[in-house]
Amino acid sequence: MAALTASEFTTAITVLADEMGLQRLRDKFLRLNGLVTRIKVASATMLADQIYMLTAGLRRQAPATYAFHAIWTETLNKKLGEEGEKNLEQLAEAINACLDEHDGIKPDKSADLDNALATYEQALAAALGTEMARLDMLLKAVPAIAAKLRAA
């Protein structure tokens, strides 16, 4: 899995805060033991900075990391629904078919990968919005795909 940069992580927290409200998001992190302080935060950026440091950019196996993924997944599942998830799984198979056994991009599948990524992103953006779709793709991508997505 690729790791989000600090600015991408801040955007992810901002998207979640816009979706459910900043203090409600903070409360969810508290309930999931992702935060240890009950002090209210003034902005999504401040919350993102706290969580980013606690999780080491989602690379550390810590309660804050698990809390972030739980909240992110719950938010996505509400928007996608069961049918949307099934559709995305099929589209993801086309992307995975373009990867070798070491999660590198097969040289002869570059054009197929571009098409599969575009189709997946369009389907995801239709349900989630472009920003959330891009971030979700980065969260789920192997490093080679993440580099390709960031370059685009």
Side-chain angles (χ1 to χ4, degrees), residues 78-89:
K78 281 182 186 176
K79 288 184 159 213
L80 287 174
E82 191 174 319
E83 193 62 37
E85 286 181 47
K86 287 179 184 178
N87 182 33
L88 288 176
E89 283 179 26

Side-chain angles (χ1 to χ4, degrees), residues 34-36 48-58 60-65:
L35 290 173
V36 293
D49 289 345
Q50 286 177 345
I51 296 168
Y52 194 80
M53 286 190 293
L54 289 170
T55 65
L58 299 177
R60 182 182 301 151
Q61 291 183 0
T65 303

Side-chain angles (χ1 to χ4, degrees), residues 35-84:
L35 290 173
V36 293
T37 180
R38 293 205 173 271
I39 298 172
K40 294 197 177 201
V41 291
S43 69
T45 302
M46 288 178 64
L47 180 61
D49 289 345
Q50 286 177 345
I51 296 168
Y52 194 80
M53 286 190 293
L54 289 170
T55 65
L58 299 177
R59 291 187 279 289
R60 182 182 301 151
Q61 291 183 0
T65 303
Y66 300 127
F68 173 81
H69 285 295
I71 294 167
W72 185 263
T73 302
E74 177 187 329
T75 304
L76 261 60
N77 288 344
K78 281 182 186 176
K79 288 184 159 213
L80 287 174
E82 191 174 319
E83 193 62 37

Side-chain angles (χ1 to χ4, degrees), residues 17-32:
D18 290 345
E19 190 71 27
M20 67 182 68
L22 180 61
Q23 298 310 323
R24 186 165 173 231
L25 176 60
R26 181 194 60 88
D27 291 345
K28 278 191 170 218
F29 272 100
L30 279 170
R31 269 185 260 123
L32 294 170

Side-chain angles (χ1 to χ4, degrees), residues 69-126:
H69 285 295
I71 294 167
W72 185 263
T73 302
E74 177 187 329
T75 304
L76 261 60
N77 288 344
K78 281 182 186 176
K79 288 184 159 213
L80 287 174
E82 191 174 319
E83 193 62 37
E85 286 181 47
K86 287 179 184 178
N87 182 33
L88 288 176
E89 283 179 26
Q90 292 173 345
L91 296 173
E93 288 176 16
I95 294 170
N96 292 335
C98 299
L99 301 175
D100 61 23
E101 61 276 357
H102 302 293
D103 291 331
I105 300 169
K106 292 179 184 175
D108 59 331
K109 297 284 189 172
S110 185
D112 293 341
L113 178 61
D114 290 339
N115 291 335
L117 284 172
T119 304
Y120 186 89
E121 187 171 13
Q122 287 172 350
L124 198 56

